Amino acid sequence: MALSAQQISRWLNSSKLSSFMTALQLRRRFQRPGTTLLCGVFAQPRVSSEGCFLQWGFRTYRTSSLWNSSKSADSSRQEINCAQSTLLPSVNEPSQRTPKIPSLDSELSLEGLDDVPPLSPLQPISDDEAVQIIAGPPLPPSSVTLRDYVDHSETLRKLVLLGVDLSKIEKHPDAANLLLRLDFERDIKQMLLFLKDLGIEDTQLGPLLTKNYAIFSEDLENLKTRVAYLQSKNFSKVDIAQMVRNAPFLLSFSVERLDNRLGFFQKELELSVKKTRDLVIRLPRLLTGSLEPVKENMKVFRLELGFQQNEIQHMITKIPKMLTANKRKLTETFDYVHNVMCVPHRVVVRSPQVFNTRLFKVKERHLFLAYLGRAQYDPTKPNYISLDKLVSVPDGIFCEAMAKASVRDFEKFLKTL
């Protein structure tokens, strides 16, 4: 006897329901001890293309373990809920209500909170929970100042606390990008400990890192190797710390370059090892700066100013800055002292501090002494005026000890110039 389409549909629905209930009972029977399955069935009729058969979808939700006294009561309540949820709606009955997903807050007891697994970022949340999420301000995709990134970067915040001037670093885009990629614990902390162990004080870290921010891109082992090289050349730890403070880029140069620089000054200036070491300790920029000014000034001393090699050695060991001074300043100062003040070479060699003084100061004091008739710079004659004292002592001592006049008289004289 042929069956109608309606009878076939009912038979299929009954068969699916029976299979589902059997699977549900087996799952409940063989579940792990201490674990409860909350069964939620989402049944929504979907008519196939021919309009004859219905398809049903099912979902299951698992919660964490329920323990002790709450286990039996919750299990019985869940069985009732499961049985009710498995009742399939009629074909003619519209399915508009969405089944309620069991809530973790309502089902779990306080004893089971420790066993709740961490929430997955892919776990769906309700609209009310989504609205309560407070997101921080977005990270700027690009900016002309590092100030916009300080609130987002722990590294930048800690560098600011150390005294690093980000306003100077941000002028170099590559440096700004470097700092934003660094992790304080991984990339910076060990570098700071290394510098402190070297002898750099906390208050000196900020200015040093502001000038040489590129030190963070250096390998720590390379820095230790460079320090070890300097120590092998009999530079003490105190000397190295002083050199690094005065020349922050010193440790950014390779051992080969440091060795070549020390060899150049020892050979070019014909200095001993000890004098070469003392020279670079007092002016470590000689190891990091360009050699062109040094070579140019050596020619000026020999060819234009007429000093001998031993005289040059004596002057630069007393005033190392003469090696990197402006060429025009050197020639103008020597021209005034030698040709106007009539100071011979041998006296200038004994007082090289005059090359490290502003020329207008030398002129003012010389003219005042000449006005008083006391401009006498020959050490073999009476009333000798030392060039070093002439340019180094304050106005009060100059007027009282050398000019034998008052400061007011000196100030009145300067107004006449």
Side-chain angles (χ1 to χ4, degrees), residues 138-140 142-152 156:
L139 186 67
S142 62
S143 177
V144 296
T145 174
L146 285 174
R147 181 179 57 186
D148 296 336
Y149 297 91
V150 172
D151 293 337
H152 305 274
L156 293 182

Side-chain angles (χ1 to χ4, degrees), residues 340-343 365-378 381-385 390 398 402-403:
V340 177
M341 298 172 60
C342 300
V343 179
R365 294 190 174 187
H366 167 70
L367 292 175
F368 186 57
L369 291 175
Y371 173 74
L372 298 175
R374 304 186 63 85
Q376 204 287 100
Y377 307 109
D378 188 349
K381 297 181 180 180
N383 300 322
Y384 164 67
I385 302 295
L390 176 71
F398 163 72
M402 301 180 185

Side-chain angles (χ1 to χ4, degrees), residues 341 354 357-366 391:
M341 298 172 60
V354 69
T357 308
R358 294 180 180 179
L359 182 56
F360 77 88
K361 183 177 182 179
V362 178
K363 290 181 177 181
E364 289 176 348
R365 294 190 174 187
H366 167 70
V391 299

Side-chain angles (χ1 to χ4, degrees), residues 286-330:
L286 292 175
L287 298 179
T288 61
S290 173
L291 291 178
E292 293 305 317
V294 177
K295 295 177 180 178
E296 188 67 24
N297 286 349
M298 290 299 295
K299 293 180 181 179
V300 170
F301 293 142
R302 293 168 182 160
L303 303 179
E304 297 185 26
L305 306 186
F307 290 104
Q308 301 298 320
Q309 181 67 20
N310 62 332
E311 294 175 333
I312 298 174
Q313 291 176 354
H314 179 79
M315 290 190 295
I316 62 175
T317 52
K318 294 186 66 175
I319 309 294
K321 287 184 179 180
M322 291 179 60
L323 287 172
T324 58
N326 182 272
K327 173 184 174 181
R328 180 178 177 182
K329 178 184 177 181
L330 290 176

Side-chain angles (χ1 to χ4, degrees), residues 238-252:
V238 176
D239 295 335
I240 298 174
Q242 177 183 335
M243 294 166 66
V244 172
R245 283 193 296 268
N246 296 331
F249 294 95
L250 178 65
L251 295 181
S252 295

Side-chain angles (χ1 to χ4, degrees), residues 122-310:
L122 300 179
Q123 181 175 349
I125 61 176
S126 64
D127 293 340
D128 293 338
E129 293 174 336
V131 171
Q132 295 176 0
I133 296 177
I134 301 176
L139 186 67
S142 62
S143 177
V144 296
T145 174
L146 285 174
R147 181 179 57 186
D148 296 336
Y149 297 91
V150 172
D151 293 337
H152 305 274
S153 173
E154 179 186 6
T155 298
L156 293 182
R157 289 196 298 270
K158 290 186 177 181
L159 288 178
V160 170
L161 294 177
L162 286 173
V164 177
D165 191 347
L166 298 182
S167 64
K168 294 181 179 179
I169 296 180
E170 66 188 13
K171 297 177 182 178
H172 309 277
D174 294 339
N177 293 331
L178 169 66
L179 294 184
L180 289 175
R181 291 193 302 267
L182 294 177
D183 179 79
F184 188 86
E185 294 293 330
R186 183 185 70 245
D187 305 315
I188 296 181
K189 185 176 180 179
Q190 294 301 319
M191 189 72 68
L192 296 178
L193 294 176
F194 166 75
L195 293 175
K196 286 180 61 65
D197 182 67
L198 190 62
I200 306 300
E201 301 294 336
D202 292 345
T203 55
Q204 299 166 342
L205 286 173
L208 187 149
L209 297 176
T210 299
K211 294 179 180 179
N212 187 17
Y213 47 80
I215 196 173
F216 293 127
S217 62
E218 296 282 348
D219 185 82
L220 187 58
E221 293 302 319
N222 290 338
L223 300 182
K224 293 179 179 180
T225 302
R226 293 159 193 171
V227 172
Y229 166 77
L230 292 175
Q231 291 176 333
S232 70
K233 296 299 181 180
N234 293 327
F235 289 91
S236 67
K237 195 172 182 179
V238 176
D239 295 335
I240 298 174
Q242 177 183 335
M243 294 166 66
V244 172
R245 283 193 296 268
N246 296 331
F249 294 95
L250 178 65
L251 295 181
S252 295
F253 292 98
S254 64
V255 171
E256 292 76 11
R257 175 164 180 170
L258 294 176
D259 188 69
N260 291 336
R261 286 297 179 91
L262 290 174
F264 168 80
F265 288 109
Q266 184 176 357
K267 180 179 179 180
E268 182 72 15
L269 304 177
E270 299 179 5
L271 297 175
S272 64
V273 174
K274 183 179 183 305
K275 288 186 177 181
T276 303
R277 183 169 56 248
D278 293 340
L279 178 69
V280 296
I281 289 175
R282 296 181 61 188
L283 191 64
R285 288 188 289 111
L286 292 175
L287 298 179
T288 61
S290 173
L291 291 178
E292 293 305 317
V294 177
K295 295 177 180 178
E296 188 67 24
N297 286 349
M298 290 299 295
K299 293 180 181 179
V300 170
F301 293 142
R302 293 168 182 160
L303 303 179
E304 297 185 26
L305 306 186
F307 290 104
Q308 301 298 320
Q309 181 67 20
N310 62 332

Side-chain angles (χ1 to χ4, degrees), residues 47-84:
V47 183
S48 67
S49 58
E50 286 87 0
C52 297
F53 299 101
L54 296 177
Q55 299 175 353
W56 307 93
F58 302 95
R59 293 182 185 173
T60 347
Y61 300 89
R62 174 174 296 183
T63 68
S64 302
S65 302
L66 300 179
W67 303 100
N68 303 328
S69 61
S70 62
K71 178 179 177 181
S72 59
D74 292 342
S75 299
S76 59
R77 183 169 62 254
Q78 292 160 7
E79 291 174 358
I80 297 174
N81 292 337
C82 290
Q84 292 177 351

